Amino acid sequence: RQGVITILKQLMHDAPQLFERIEAIRPVRHELTALLHDYHTIVTGSGEGIIYEYPQPAFIPRAGFFAGYNIDFIKAGSSSGLDGFKMYPAIYPLAGISVRASLPRISRAMWVSLDLSAGKRYVYGYYKGANFQPPSAEIYHELHQHSYLLTGNLLAGYSFGRRNLKPFVSGGICMRSLLKDDSRMETDISYEGVVISDTDDFISEEKNSMGLALATGLTYNLSRDFSITAAINYSELIIPVVYGSYRSAGLKIGVNF
């Protein structure tokens, strides 16, 4: 490979702007053809004179893994039995795998990715009410919801630039699936100086939710086969099933190879 790089630099010495790209190139037909195409354009000023060009592959797949943190902003809905509850933001870690495929036949800058991750989320909710019928009483509810989640994002993205550091934007659909729920509802009733406390299991009707996702970030190519990605993502669950509204934002860092 190093010999190929040396020869390419000698042959394309009149296009020094391609040297950084030559350093990272893989000696495969579609990449060499794309390099020669751009060299021809730089030297001649146009794509005229190209009689035949080896077709790019339809997909160039890459795999990787990532980890990060999500924060969920949840608003209780009447269908959940939590109407009137104040729901606090839930911050939790996630880890998962990513499969990305570039689409060189459309554009070398375009790609699609499927990200799957899992995490444990803790949601806290609080409700204070009163019963004004004799005997008057104050009622307090506390929700402690511990859930194991499976999250997935199917995104289409576009990367900018051809250097090692490339910003990107992406968008697509997302899903959230509740794998296991271990939650409880704590109730305190206070009247005439007496407090009665009770704890019950809380069974959430939340199973699967779907929505739209956006992300932006940076990819840095450490080598021709290894890169690091950092991204900020936002999801709006438009089919939250249980909650009145369900928004999510997060930060993740991953590697691709």
Side-chain angles (χ1 to χ4, degrees):
R1 176 176 172 272
Q2 191 58 46
V4 172
I5 291 174
T6 301
I7 292 173
L8 287 173
K9 284 185 174 181
Q10 292 178 354
L11 293 174
M12 301 182 180
H13 63 88
D14 49 349
Q17 58 267 51
L18 293 176
F19 283 5
E20 184 177 350
R21 183 171 162 194
I22 291 173
E23 286 286 350
I25 200 168
R26 294 181 299 171
V28 294
R29 282 185 292 181
H30 67 271
E31 289 198 18
L32 292 172
T33 302
L35 177 67
L36 188 59
H37 177 279
D38 292 346
Y39 172 71
H40 177 94
T41 303
I42 290 171
V43 172
T44 65
S46 72
E48 295 182 3
I50 298 177
I51 299 174
Y52 172 77
E53 187 170 348
Y54 183 79
Q56 299 273 6
F59 300 96
I60 302 177
R62 299 185 69 182
F65 60 89
F66 62 89
Y69 274 88
N70 262 23
I71 177 168
D72 288 355
F73 301 93
I74 297 171
K75 182 179 179 180
S78 57
S79 62
S80 63
L82 300 175
D83 194 21
F85 271 69
K86 176 178 175 56
M87 309 296 289
Y88 288 81
I91 304 174
Y92 57 98
L94 286 171
I97 59 174
S98 175
V99 179
R100 176 183 290 195
S102 57
L103 309 173
R105 291 190 182 178
I106 302 175
S107 170
R108 279 172 285 169
M110 292 190 66
W111 45 267
V112 294
S113 70
L114 175 63
D115 301 336
L116 294 175
S117 59
K120 183 179 180 181
R121 184 189 67 187
Y122 170 65
V123 178
Y124 174 77
Y126 179 81
Y127 173 82
K128 177 182 178 181
N131 178 17
F132 298 103
Q133 299 296 327
S136 61
E138 291 184 337
I139 303 172
Y140 304 88
H141 293 294
E142 282 188 317
L143 171 67
H144 301 271
Q145 188 175 13
H146 300 267
S147 307
Y148 289 93
L149 295 178
L150 175 67
T151 71
N153 295 318
L154 180 61
L155 305 173
Y158 188 89
S159 299
F160 301 91
R162 293 186 177 179
R163 296 183 177 273
N164 288 337
L165 184 63
K166 299 178 183 179
F168 68 86
V169 294
S170 61
I173 59 175
C174 64
M175 73 89 181
R176 302 287 185 271
S177 182
L178 192 68
L179 299 178
K180 183 181 179 182
D181 189 19
D182 183 14
S183 306
R184 68 183 188 275
M185 182 73 74
E186 296 181 353
T187 303
D188 295 313
I189 302 175
S190 174
Y191 68 97
E192 297 181 353
V194 178
V195 177
I196 300 176
S197 299
D198 194 13
T199 300
D200 297 298
D201 292 336
F202 180 81
I203 306 300
S204 173
E205 296 298 326
E206 179 189 8
K207 298 301 179 185
N208 300 291
S209 302
M210 297 188 65
L212 302 176
L214 298 172
T216 183
L218 295 169
T219 297
Y220 183 73
N221 295 318
L222 294 174
S223 69
R224 60 191 177 95
D225 295 319
F226 192 82
S227 63
I228 297 176
T229 298
I232 298 173
N233 55 73
Y234 173 80
S235 301
E236 178 84 26
L237 281 297
I238 58 177
I239 310 178
V241 180
V242 171
Y243 301 113
S245 68
Y246 187 169
R247 298 179 175 91
S248 180
L251 171 67
K252 69 176 184 179
I253 298 177
V255 296
N256 300 296
F257 44 86

